[in-house]
Amino acid sequence: MSAARLRALVPRLLRDPAFWYAVSLAVAAVVEDTISTDRLRRLMDWCSTNLANIRPGGHPVEAFVASAFIPQESAGVWPFFALSLFSVVAVLGARKTVLLLGGVHVGVSMVTEGLVWWRIHHGTLPSSDAHMWDTGPSYLVVTALTVAIATARPLWLRMVWSVCLAGATPSLLQGIDHADYTAIGHILSFSIGLGVVFHVRHTLGDVRLEALPEPATVPATPH
């Protein structure tokens, strides 16, 4: 890539929320790897979107925001997965992408914690599950990966994201046979991503979709 092409690319990256989100997750991965186990445990306790934190007497706003940036496990892989957001921004635009994926993160978290509340209320889960860790970007990233699989450009990126989602699926759906609420949340996130894909295909059509500009991470033409 030429210096001129690089100079043109940098401003586009700096304006793209996908870039900043991937960077934030990379920083979070480094922090999680370097702080003590006790500090990491306290961080997870505070930022989890569990019933204890999102109740009116807790800190719901802070928990919902922070949890999107603090992976619970496999922290090193999420910055790479988050690069799929570039494709979502290319299709929907920055503002709609932030609203969509922020809504997925908050909405799916509320649904899954609602399931936890219901099961605790009916005695099928212990009351201690109100304090269980529930943090990380997986809900919104699953939606982004789903959209990217159908819309990413160049076309080989679709295969990359397909492999990533397929490889992560066994972990994402762990416990689904026991109605694990996190696994249910990932199914909801995938379903929302499919809904977005159908909407985009219906609105733009395949021809117009392929004519969209490529994400800022990929040069539009060889130089």
Side-chain angles (χ1 to χ4, degrees):
M1 184 184 298
S2 67
R5 177 63 181 165
L6 182 61
R7 286 194 298 270
L9 180 62
V10 169
R12 292 177 61 194
L13 283 175
L14 296 180
R15 292 193 302 267
D16 198 319
F19 170 77
W20 292 109
Y21 190 60
V23 169
S24 298
L25 290 177
V27 171
V30 173
V31 170
E32 290 186 30
D33 190 52
T34 55
I35 64 176
S36 67
T37 302
D38 182 60
R39 287 185 176 180
L40 180 59
R41 179 185 58 79
R42 283 184 288 169
L43 176 63
M44 293 295 179
D45 285 339
W46 183 82
C47 70
S48 289
T49 53
N50 53 34
L51 291 176
N53 287 343
I54 66 174
R55 72 187 194 282
H59 50 276
V61 175
E62 294 90 338
F64 278 124
V65 173
S67 63
F69 296 88
I70 307 296
Q72 187 170 321
E73 56 186 21
S74 304
V77 77
W78 292 110
F80 176 72
F81 283 5
L83 294 178
S84 62
L85 272 71
F86 280 103
S87 296
V88 185
V89 172
V91 173
L92 300 181
R95 182 178 299 179
K96 288 184 178 179
T97 297
V98 171
L99 291 175
L100 168 68
L101 298 182
V104 168
H105 175 68
V106 174
V108 173
S109 295
M110 291 183 68
V111 169
T112 56
E113 289 306 319
L115 293 174
V116 173
W117 174 87
W118 188 88
R119 294 181 66 181
I120 291 175
H121 184 70
H122 287 81
T124 58
L125 283 179
S127 58
S128 60
D129 276 21
H131 298 268
M132 184 172 290
W133 286 352
D134 183 16
T135 182
S138 61
Y139 294 152
L140 72 90
V141 170
V142 166
T143 298
L145 283 170
T146 305
V147 175
I149 287 170
T151 65
R153 297 187 64 233
L155 294 180
W156 59 263
L157 267 179
R158 301 184 186 185
M159 182 60 68
V160 171
W161 301 133
S162 297
V163 170
C164 289
L165 185 56
T169 293
S171 175
L172 295 173
L173 297 185
Q174 186 174 4
I176 190 62
D177 52 334
H178 298 103
D180 178 78
Y181 67 92
T182 303
I184 292 174
H186 292 139
I187 292 176
L188 288 174
S189 301
F190 177 74
S191 300
I192 294 170
L194 285 180
V196 173
V197 170
F198 291 144
H199 173 73
V200 169
R201 291 286 181 181
H202 176 73
T203 303
L204 296 180
D206 291 344
V207 175
R208 288 177 61 194
L209 181 60
E210 297 305 324
L212 289 173
E214 295 182 353
T217 50
V218 181
T221 57
H223 194 85

